[in-house]
């Protein structure tokens, strides 16, 4: 159908040629094992996370020619299990008048006629602002394809700034998330800045994916959480309506929202008359360092699964000198319980587990190493309790990615219930954020952690997934020692698998 379209585009051809020439030089041993990393060059937001012809597709913001952000293409990967990904050739390039400065974030959907539709933001530079910085225009565009090759719609854009509500900024109007409504019409939500320069999420409806009608505001920031709201996604889950957004330029609230550009879940219900979200609760999605721009899909068996870019915008200059930059988080299954968003590693990861090693009732007093508990690509579950509840241990930590002077850690203090992730000795050579802490919401005397370590990252899930903390590490992947420490006496159960 669109098999020769990419050769019509000099830019896409150049990107694919660059991939073909250079990506094979990257050994598998220099990539994460169970996380998607960039084919070559730079990766940011997940895009088009969806099922097409029975396979999972994950596109991403992509600059193949360098390991820093640049004119955005869409990179592309497919998977049968959400865990192991195969790179496909770049999907789209910034090669049209309406997207010549970038194909920004968006989503994808399988159409009834068998085609895959990509819905993305086209970016063009329109001039300079009075302060001399460039001014951009953002419009929404579509492309049709067969799962590998895509052709942009001839009458793009399909949503232009004349379809914005009054006062909304045409410069900040992006990241469409499309889905099929129960009535058979397409819906989408978009990030926007309102007249007060505060984030809002706009809703549109279409019967054909081409002609879109503005339907109203789904949610408004009112100056509370950062400024512009990027990368919206909304869905019904466990009797609630959930909206995930990534606010830019956030101020911390206590120990929460420390990432500058962070993530936020709003949970509530839809107003029958206006279609707007009536908020009941809000929370950070992840409490760690490297986590932004979430996107979800629904699996064939009805699970809501989320991925995010496993990176913080402010530390992207710490590239580590590799030819690829950027990783996605592990896909996480979502649920809502008691008004909170829970997340848990997608169950397919259990198929990637090998070599179970388990210990029960280990007394940890000072430093402790356990036979068989080591590795840089592991799924580790821990349960830690005081030996004597009347005289609890003061601090517990696990060190990993360790050798000689290098290690990273996850520590917990029983006095104030703070869980901390730390990468001070991970090999980072720049003055960037090296730790982050969060207060556990439901500590009942037993610390329960599930920890996924994969060469250049760690993801920590607390309890049944009511809190998560994510960070990247640059440490040499052969540094694989793991050990435990308690100030006082702790009793620990451990279960560890290698991930392959
Ligand atoms: C979020 C974001 C999106 C935009 C894309 C550009 O990280 O700023 O809003 O579409 O990245 O790469």
């Amino acid at each position: 159908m669109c098999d020769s379209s990419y050769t019509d585009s000099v830019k896409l051809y150049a990107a694919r040629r660059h991939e073909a020439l250079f990506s094979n030089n990257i050994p598998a041993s220099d990539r994460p094992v169970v996380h998607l990393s960039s084919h070559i060059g730079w990766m940011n937001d997940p895009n088009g996370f969806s099922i097409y012809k029975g396979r999972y597709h994950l596109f991403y913001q992509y600059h193949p020619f360098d390991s820093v952000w640049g004119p955005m293409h869409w990179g592309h990967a497919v998977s049968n299990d959400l865990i192991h990904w195969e790179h496909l050739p770049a999907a789209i390039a910034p090669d049209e008048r309406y997207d010549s400065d970038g194909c920004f974030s968006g989503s994808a959907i399988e159409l009834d006629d068998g085609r895959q539709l990509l819905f993305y933001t086209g970016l063009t530079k329109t001039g300079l602002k009075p302060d001399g910085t460039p001014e951009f225009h953002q419009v929404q565009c579509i492309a049709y394809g067969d799962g590998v090759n895509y052709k942009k719609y001839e009458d793009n854009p399909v949503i232009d700034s004349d379809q914005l509500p009054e006062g909304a900024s045409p410069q900040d109007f992006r990241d469409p998330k499309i889905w099929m409504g129960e009535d058979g019409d397409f819906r989408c939500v978009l990030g926007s800045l309102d007249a007060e320069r505060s984030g809002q999420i706009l809703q549109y409806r279409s019967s054909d994916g081409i002609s879109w009608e503005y339907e109203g505001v789904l949610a408004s920031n009112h100056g509370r959480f950062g400024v512009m709201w990027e990368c919206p996604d909304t869905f019904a889950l466990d009797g609630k309506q959930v909206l995930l957004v990534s606010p830019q330029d956030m101020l911390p609230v206590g120990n929460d929202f420390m990432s500058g550009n962070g993530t936020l879940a709003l949970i509530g219900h839809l107003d029958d008359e206006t279609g707007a979200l009536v908020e009941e609760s809000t929370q950070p999605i992840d409490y760690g360092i490297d986590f932004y721009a979430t996107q979800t899909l629904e699996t064939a068996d009805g699970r809501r699964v989320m991925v995010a870019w496993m990176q913080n915008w402010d530390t992207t200059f710490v590239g580590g000198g590799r030819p690829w930059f950027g990783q996605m988080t592990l896909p996480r299954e979502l649920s809502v319980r008691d008004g909170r968003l829970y997340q848990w590693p997608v169950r397919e990861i259990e198929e990637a587990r090998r070599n179970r090693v388990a210990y029960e009732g280990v007394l940890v007093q000072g430093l402790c190493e356990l036979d068989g508990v080591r590795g840089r690509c592991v799924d580790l579950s821990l349960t830690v309790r005081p030996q004597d509840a009347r005289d609890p241990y003061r601090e517990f930590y696990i060190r990993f990615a360790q050798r000689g002077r290098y290690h990273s850690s996850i520590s917990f203090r029983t006095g104030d219930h703070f869980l901390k992730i730390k990468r001070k000795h991970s090999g980072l050579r720049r003055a960037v954020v090296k730790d982050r802490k969060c207060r556990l919401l439901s500590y009942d005397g037993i610390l329960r952690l599930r920890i996924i370590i994969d060469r250049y990252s760690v993801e920590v899930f607390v309890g049944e997934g009511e809190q998560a903390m994510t960070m990247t590490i640059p440490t040499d992947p052969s540094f694989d020692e793991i050990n435990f420490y308690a100030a006082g006496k702790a009793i620990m159960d451990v279960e560890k698998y290698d991930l392959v």
Side-chain angles (χ1 to χ4, degrees):
M1 169 185 43
C2 322
D3 48 336
S4 64
S5 64
Y6 82 91
T7 51
D8 301 342
S9 162
V10 173
K11 286 190 177 171
L12 190 58
Y13 181 77
R16 289 184 167 195
R17 190 177 141 76
H18 185 78
E19 289 171 335
L21 284 175
F22 300 111
S23 67
N24 290 336
N25 299 340
I26 306 174
S29 57
D30 189 35
R31 289 183 179 277
V33 176
V34 293
H35 293 76
L36 176 65
S37 57
S38 163
H39 198 167
I40 186 160
W42 164 277
M43 160 197 277
N44 59 288
D45 314 358
N47 295 159
F49 185 39
S50 60
I51 299 174
Y52 177 66
K53 295 201 169 149
R55 300 186 87 189
Y56 296 105
H57 284 246
L58 181 48
F59 302 81
Y60 49 91
Q61 289 288 278
Y62 185 39
H63 182 220
F65 304 108
D66 206 340
S67 48
V68 295
W69 193 87
M72 282 290 110
H73 298 55
W74 275 32
H76 190 188
V78 285
S79 169
N80 293 322
D81 62 2
L82 289 165
I83 302 294
H84 303 100
W85 295 91
E86 179 195 331
H87 288 290
L88 291 183
I92 52 174
D95 51 14
E96 293 287 347
R97 131 196 85 70
Y98 49 79
D99 65 14
S100 54
D101 287 299
C103 298
F104 271 18
S105 284
S107 50
I109 195 166
E110 179 164 4
L111 300 175
D112 286 344
D113 64 10
R115 291 178 300 171
Q116 189 178 31
L117 180 146
L118 310 185
F119 199 11
Y120 69 98
T121 298
L123 181 84
T124 44
K125 193 164 145 187
T126 49
L128 294 180
K129 294 185 206 158
D131 67 1
T133 57
E135 188 159 68
F136 292 102
H137 189 70
Q138 304 192 335
V139 292
Q140 316 315 321
C141 311
I142 55 179
Y144 295 107
D146 59 4
V148 179
N149 296 306
Y150 299 85
K151 195 165 179 49
K152 292 178 183 168
Y153 175 56
E154 59 268 23
D155 283 329
N156 272 336
V158 294
I159 310 183
D160 208 333
S161 46
D162 57 359
Q163 285 154 277
L164 276 167
E166 211 183 317
S169 157
Q171 282 97 46
D172 290 283
F173 176 39
R174 58 181 174 270
D175 310 339
K177 171 70 201 254
I178 190 171
W179 72 97
M180 174 62 75
E182 275 169 17
D183 55 7
D185 270 2
F186 295 101
R187 305 295 161 83
C188 84
V189 281
L190 275 154
S192 161
L193 258 192
D194 66 17
E196 267 72 56
R197 301 203 60 74
S198 184
Q200 60 181 353
I201 302 304
L202 308 178
Q203 314 194 67
Y204 292 79
R205 175 201 284 256
S206 167
S207 57
D208 57 6
I210 296 172
S211 308
W212 289 88
E213 229 169 84
Y214 173 63
E215 290 238 291
V217 173
L218 176 67
S220 294
N221 183 16
H222 299 303
R224 295 169 299 164
F225 299 102
V227 184
M228 168 68 182
W229 281 6
E230 302 187 309
C231 305
D233 193 350
T234 187
F235 44 86
L237 186 63
D238 299 327
K240 297 286 178 195
Q241 187 68 27
V242 179
L243 170 62
L244 307 181
V245 291
S246 296
Q248 290 183 303
D249 309 314
M250 299 187 90
L251 287 171
V253 179
N255 282 298
D256 292 350
F257 304 118
M258 302 285 285
S259 295
N261 290 3
T263 53
L264 172 71
L266 303 102
I267 300 173
H269 62 272
L270 293 179
D271 183 300
D272 288 343
E273 302 228 315
T274 63
L277 180 75
V278 181
E279 285 175 29
E280 294 166 15
S281 57
T282 56
Q283 66 178 85
I285 304 175
D286 191 282
Y287 293 76
I289 301 172
D290 292 302
F291 188 90
Y292 195 66
T294 56
Q295 195 167 83
T296 73
L297 60 68
E298 192 182 358
T299 58
D301 59 2
R303 289 172 290 150
R304 182 58 60 174
V305 173
M306 173 184 78
V307 285
W309 181 40
M310 192 155 57
Q311 184 62 47
N312 180 288
W313 269 114
D314 295 331
T315 53
T316 53
F317 63 92
V318 192
R322 280 181 224 103
W324 61 269
F325 179 86
Q327 315 170 62
M328 296 299 166
T329 63
L330 209 65
R332 303 175 182 181
E333 287 179 23
L334 301 182
S335 57
V336 176
R337 299 183 223 171
D338 300 327
R340 267 197 81 75
L341 187 73
Y342 280 60
Q343 39 193 312
W344 200 244
V346 76
R347 63 193 65 169
E348 282 83 348
I349 196 160
E350 285 156 31
E351 299 296 316
R353 302 201 296 201
R354 301 284 183 280
N355 312 328
R356 178 174 187 267
V357 176
Y359 291 87
E360 269 180 29
V362 179
L363 172 67
V364 186
Q365 184 179 14
L367 207 58
C368 162
E369 277 176 29
L370 295 173
D371 263 2
V373 179
R374 64 188 308 146
R376 270 301 279 281
C377 192
V378 297
D379 183 345
L380 191 67
S381 294
L382 293 186
T383 306
V384 185
R385 53 194 180 277
Q387 190 196 41
D388 177 351
R390 288 161 304 175
D391 180 23
Y393 66 88
R394 294 176 299 288
E395 188 184 15
F396 172 88
Y397 64 68
I398 162 172
R399 282 188 175 174
F400 60 96
Q402 174 165 292
R403 180 169 310 164
R405 65 201 285 196
Y406 296 95
H407 66 261
S408 292
S409 65
I410 302 159
S411 60
F412 178 67
R413 291 199 309 228
T414 45
D416 52 16
H417 305 175
F418 271 116
L419 186 73
K420 189 187 224 177
I421 51 176
K422 197 162 89 185
R423 59 182 183 184
K424 189 150 99 191
H425 300 290
S426 65
L428 278 170
R429 290 171 191 269
R430 301 262 57 90
V432 296
V433 174
K434 296 201 175 75
D435 58 41
R436 178 103 348 121
K437 61 182 180 180
C438 81
R439 183 189 276 276
L440 298 197
L441 295 165
S442 63
Y443 181 65
D444 60 0
I446 302 183
L447 176 68
R448 295 180 188 82
L449 300 177
R450 172 122 180 241
I451 302 165
I452 308 281
I453 301 168
D454 184 5
R455 289 202 178 130
Y456 299 109
S457 65
V458 62
E459 292 171 87
V460 184
F461 299 86
V462 179
E464 296 181 352
E466 64 265 26
Q467 285 167 293
M469 297 186 88
T470 301
M471 75 174 173
T472 58
I473 52 169
T475 321
D476 183 322
S478 68
F479 297 179
D480 65 351
E481 292 159 26
I482 295 176
N483 54 39
F484 309 92
Y485 170 89
K489 293 180 189 167
I491 301 290
M492 172 177 77
D493 302 335
V494 186
E495 189 182 30
K496 178 235 145 187
Y497 296 88
D498 295 322
L499 292 170
V500 294

